[in-house]
Structures are given as C-alpha cells and as structure tokens.
Amino acid sequence: MTIPLLVAEAARRHPDQPAVVDGDIRVTYEQLAGLVTETARAYAARGLRRGDRAAIWAPNRLEFILALLGAQSIGAIVVPLNSRYRGHEAATVLARSRASTLVLANGFLDIDFLGMLRTAAAESPGQAGDGPIPGLPHLHTVVDLGGQPADGVLGWPDFISGGRSVDHDRFEAMVAAVTPDDICDIMFTSGTTGVPKGVLTAHRQTIDVARVWAERAELSTADRYAIVNPFFHGFGYKAGMITAITAGSTIYPVATFQADELLELIQAERISVLPGAPTLFTSLLNHPRLAEYDLSSLRFSVAGAATVPKSLFQRMRDELGFTSVSQAYGLTEAVVVTQSLPDDDPAHIAETTGPPVDGMELRIVDPAGDDVPAGDEGEILIRGRNVMLGYFEDERATAETIDADGWLRTGDVGRLDEHGCLQVTDRIKDMFTVGGFNVYPAEVENVLATHPEVSESAVVAKPDQRMGSVALAFVVPRGGSRPTEDALIEYCRARLANFKVPREIVVRDELPKNASGKILKTKLRPAAKEA
C-alpha cells in the first residue's frame, strides 16, 4: 500500500508487459521500475527528503509519470500543477506548498512557463531567496523537460545523471521508510470558484482508489488505456495512471486532446479503455470522418460530470463501439465516490452515477442536516476510507468541510433512487432563484442536451429586476447546424416549468473550459450580467 511497493510489484508480476507508450517511446514495467528508481535517486541527490514537496508542471508524458512516482518513492509529497496555469496561479501554489523542487515542461503549447513564473514570483512579497526563481525562497531545484534549460535550471538528462552519486544503502533506507499513511500528494482544487485548497491524501488512499476503479472497470493486462484526462487531476492521475499500474495495463499518455489524433491513436494502437469528460466524446461523435476509423478495440469508458446528456451513453455504444460505458461521481477530496456497475442497464447508467464504491458511503440531507427520502434532492455528504485527510495547513477549512463523525460536505446536490444509486443534479453554488423558485442549471442543460442541434450548453443566472434572476443559456451547436434562439426557448418551454426556461439563449462556437474539460461558468457569468 505504498507507491514504491506498487511499482516494484508491477515490475515483478509483469516484467515484459508494456507499461507506457508515449509516441515512439515504449517502456516495459521492468524498465519503468528502473527509470522510477533513477528519478528517485536524482531527487535524493538534489536534497529532496521525506515530507518535502515536489511540484510537477507538465502535460501528460512519460517524464511526468517518472517525476511523480520517483518523488513518492522516497517519501516526498507531489504537488501537481494545472498545465493551463498562468504564472501567478503557479507561483501561488508553489509558495503555499513551499515546494522545494519543480519539474516543468517549458515551451509546452509554445508557452514560456519559466518566464511567466519568474515574472509572477518577482512581484510576490517576501524574501527573494537565492534559488533559481527569485520570490520563491523554498524552491531550490527546477528541472526543465524542454530542450534548452535557462540559467539556474537543470535539463532532465543532467538531473537524472546526478542521482548516480547517491549512496546505495542510504537510498534504500529512504525507500523502505515510506509508509502507507504517509502523505503522497497535495491536490490543489481547481480554483474556479475561489482560492484553491490543498487536499491531502495518503499512499494507501491513492492506491485503494485505483484498485476500486480498476475492479469496476474490469481492467487487465490486455487493456491499452489512453489517458486524456490530465495527470495533474485525480481523474488522470489516480483513476488513470495509478489505476493502470495496479492492473498491469498499458498507459498511453495524451498531452493534448485533438479529435483527429485521438481517433488515429485508437485505431493504430487498439486502445480499449478511454474515460473522459462528456465533451471529449461529444467531439468524437461530431467528427466529420468518424466512420473512417476502426474503433472496434474500444471496450470500456467512464463519462462523468454534473451534466451528462442522457443520449450520450447510448451513442457511445452505438457509434463509438464501446461494449461497456458507465458514469462515476467523485471530487478532488475523494476522487471516486460512486460508479456504475459493469453489468448495469444502459438506461439506468444514463440516469445515475451508480452506487457507492467499496469503502464509501453517502447521505442526502436537507439544509438542517437531516436525511431526505429517496427521490428527494439535497446536499450530498460522503464518508469513507478514501475521503481526504484534510486541507493542507488549513484546520478551519477542514473542520468546516468534515464534521466530527467524518461526513464531508461536497457542496453538490443530488438524489438517491430506490436502488441506492446517486443522481447528481447540480452544485449548490450554481443554484439560483427565479421569483423565489430554485433553478438548478444542470436540469436545464440536460433538456438542451436532448435537442438534435445542440452539442453542449451552460446555464447561468442573469440579473432581472422583477424576478431577481432568470436563466441565460450559452449553447454550442452540433455539427453545421445553427439553431435559433426562439426555437430552443420553445423546446425548453415544452419540457420545463416556466421559471426554469431560459429567457435568453446565446449561441457560441465554443465554451470556456479548464484543462479537465469542465466548463468555466465563472467566465460566463460576467457576460450574463452585461447581456
């Protein structure tokens, strides 16, 4: 139940099995274990110790896997940074976590990550320090995966070669000292609704989450797992990378999502497992040359979000060829809470995210904290062995989120059906009132998703003098269609109570999203106020 033992066990059980295929690079599990050890020794040579923080700011690639597993192998705590962060966002997390080491991919997407970071850190108050990034005094080592490292920054080959000087016995003692209860990562929340908080998770929890996910997916050594979900996110890291290692499956890191390239990868490498945000599958389904690709290898997928078009799962089966599709519900503070069963009815999967996974339990409560009957909406509370240990150096936020009995308030709204399966209906913070009646945007978005000319939508509140607020919908058309505002409003009017019907619909070519595929309603709300 520690990361170093997990990697060693995978190498013992599947030495010749491909572990990672990253473009032309192919690494077996035995080779992966060797590379992870080299990386761990390199960290040790640079002074990283048990409990120190090592940040990673890079896209999905082999070196990300090595950087993460290598740090955890000597008891260091990994802090993954969103690869879409700008300089100030990255500097904030690095400063708050007091990371001593940073691995970054400068030049990814033609962005000068190092330059952004240095500019932002220089503006921060406090001691400048004598490290490679003035303004971040705790950061003593920066490793660049790009081609030409700047002054004071190590290239990956030089970083790795430095590990050869580490004493063998001392290194082995560092690895042996790692325990299941040690913190293995600090996952900072996305920050789309405020200041991000660092979620603390132990080795045993990260591995158990992966084991549970692998069992529900019936993952095996025969599977080829394309991981589009970012490694900096729990979906790509724990339900992706670590899950694949627990099952001995082959990892295919996908740095950026391009529908053409992903379809070609599925065909060429016979990809069998492909989870993702609903928008990923919508993009594939809307691809003009979808029928030209051989997707017969696809076996299993999870599409999970607050809003999943009910028709999506059937289309994933019928048009993409998945033999098994499911929904799941999780959050940074627990990663996987519920997941559909492999043999569940497709119609039921479209309605719910399934029952709680092994080791987790949930309740639906009203504002007073009392349980509500099955079928009624309320806030989702969760409890179990894989709920976070707490927020990094924030006892107040931890106490506000987890009560004395261990129940964590998710801030999500949902209901349980008669089988104990969860349907997530919305975020509490997204709910708004129209004339005193509560409107949950996901309900309106689900209706819009059934319209044949709508690819995706996002509903936010628009201020209204008479009603307080009304619904405003941003819509992306499907294919080459161009639905009219009047037609979409009438479509909603026929399916929703009047107070839920959007008063205005704005058609856009795309909606703003973060790197995890979540629609950023925080970027849409200002437009709603001006509309």
Side-chain angles (χ1 to χ4, degrees), residues 9 164 406 471 484 496:
E9 177 68 6
R164 297 168 190 157
T484 67
L496 293 167

Side-chain angles (χ1 to χ4, degrees), residues 270-416:
R270 308 297 294 160
I271 298 300
S272 59
V273 178
L274 178 65
T279 51
L280 183 151
F281 302 106
T282 300
S283 297
L284 296 183
L285 287 164
N286 290 341
H287 193 277
R289 300 196 313 279
L290 177 64
E292 298 176 14
Y293 293 93
D294 178 5
L295 308 181
S296 59
S297 60
L298 290 175
R299 179 186 70 80
F300 177 81
S301 181
V302 171
T307 306
V308 180
K310 293 182 179 179
S311 60
L312 179 64
F313 297 101
Q314 195 62 50
R315 293 188 69 199
M316 288 170 66
R317 284 173 172 267
D318 296 344
E319 299 174 47
L320 296 180
F322 286 102
T323 55
S324 179
V325 296
S326 67
Q327 281 210 66
Y329 166 69
L331 57 162
T332 306
E333 289 83 352
V335 183
V336 180
V337 177
T338 68
Q339 189 172 345
S340 304
L341 299 172
D343 58 350
D344 207 353
D345 185 287
H348 191 239
I349 291 172
E351 294 285 346
T352 79
T353 64
V357 299
D358 181 33
M360 297 296 292
E361 53 184 325
L362 59 84
R363 298 166 55 204
I364 308 296
V365 301
D366 61 22
D370 297 322
D371 293 311
V372 302
D376 286 2
E377 286 187 342
E379 183 178 6
I380 303 168
L381 305 189
I382 62 173
R383 183 171 68 178
R385 62 175 180 257
N386 291 329
V387 169
M388 68 167 184
L389 302 177
Y391 291 118
F392 177 66
E393 296 181 348
D394 196 338
E395 293 182 3
R396 180 178 177 179
T398 301
E400 290 174 348
T401 305
I402 304 177
D403 69 19
D405 294 322
W407 289 101
L408 182 145
R409 296 188 59 178
T410 67
D412 290 327
V413 178
R415 63 171 71 93
L416 292 174

Side-chain angles (χ1 to χ4, degrees), residues 6 64 91 98 108 149 157 208 306-307 395 425 455 458:
L6 175 69
F64 192 120
R98 298 189 302 283
F108 173 60
D208 195 43
T307 306
E395 293 182 3
T425 54
S455 175

Side-chain angles (χ1 to χ4, degrees), residues 176-489:
V178 181
T179 74
D181 288 319
D182 283 352
I183 305 295
C184 72
D185 56 66
I186 305 176
M187 303 286 289
F188 279 84
T189 55
S190 61
T192 56
T193 58
V195 178
K197 298 185 288 290
V199 173
L200 299 172
T201 307
H203 282 248
R204 59 175 173 79
Q205 293 177 303
T206 292
I207 293 172
D208 195 43
V209 161
R211 178 190 61 79
V212 168
W213 202 99
E215 288 178 355
R216 286 283 174 100
E218 300 180 330
L219 221 59
S220 74
T221 56
D223 282 309
R224 298 175 175 87
Y225 191 159
I227 306 181
V228 180
N229 302 305
F231 286 159
F232 65 74
H233 189 276
F235 204 172
Y237 158 30
K238 302 186 181 189
M241 178 205 312
I242 304 299
T243 290
I245 295 173
T246 66
S249 305
T250 304
I251 298 167
Y252 288 79
V254 178
T256 58
F257 170 63
Q258 299 291 337
D260 287 340
E261 295 176 4
L262 183 56
L263 289 168
E264 290 170 4
L265 177 68
I266 295 169
Q267 177 174 267
E269 295 291 341
R270 308 297 294 160
I271 298 300
S272 59
V273 178
L274 178 65
T279 51
L280 183 151
F281 302 106
T282 300
S283 297
L284 296 183
L285 287 164
N286 290 341
H287 193 277
R289 300 196 313 279
L290 177 64
E292 298 176 14
Y293 293 93
D294 178 5
L295 308 181
S296 59
S297 60
L298 290 175
R299 179 186 70 80
F300 177 81
S301 181
V302 171
T307 306
V308 180
K310 293 182 179 179
S311 60
L312 179 64
F313 297 101
Q314 195 62 50
R315 293 188 69 199
M316 288 170 66
R317 284 173 172 267
D318 296 344
E319 299 174 47
L320 296 180
F322 286 102
T323 55
S324 179
V325 296
S326 67
Q327 281 210 66
Y329 166 69
L331 57 162
T332 306
E333 289 83 352
V335 183
V336 180
V337 177
T338 68
Q339 189 172 345
S340 304
L341 299 172
D343 58 350
D344 207 353
D345 185 287
H348 191 239
I349 291 172
E351 294 285 346
T352 79
T353 64
V357 299
D358 181 33
M360 297 296 292
E361 53 184 325
L362 59 84
R363 298 166 55 204
I364 308 296
V365 301
D366 61 22
D370 297 322
D371 293 311
V372 302
D376 286 2
E377 286 187 342
E379 183 178 6
I380 303 168
L381 305 189
I382 62 173
R383 183 171 68 178
R385 62 175 180 257
N386 291 329
V387 169
M388 68 167 184
L389 302 177
Y391 291 118
F392 177 66
E393 296 181 348
D394 196 338
E395 293 182 3
R396 180 178 177 179
T398 301
E400 290 174 348
T401 305
I402 304 177
D403 69 19
D405 294 322
W407 289 101
L408 182 145
R409 296 188 59 178
T410 67
D412 290 327
V413 178
R415 63 171 71 93
L416 292 174
D417 68 9
E418 66 274 19
H419 306 291
C421 294
L422 176 68
Q423 180 183 17
V424 182
T425 54
D426 219 321
R427 291 286 295 171
I428 286 178
K429 65 180 183 297
D430 286 342
M431 185 270 291
F432 57 91
T433 60
V434 176
F437 294 97
N438 292 345
V439 174
Y440 294 101
E443 183 179 7
V444 185
E445 291 159 3
N446 275 327
V447 169
L448 285 167
T450 64
H451 192 283
E453 295 183 343
V454 173
S455 175
E456 57 185 352
S457 66
V459 174
V460 298
K462 176 184 176 180
D464 183 84
Q465 287 187 348
R466 188 172 70 89
M467 304 298 289
S469 58
V470 293
L472 169 64
F474 293 88
V475 167
V476 176
R478 178 179 293 180
S481 63
R482 202 70 183 176
T484 67
E485 177 181 358
D486 290 344
L488 292 177
I489 289 176

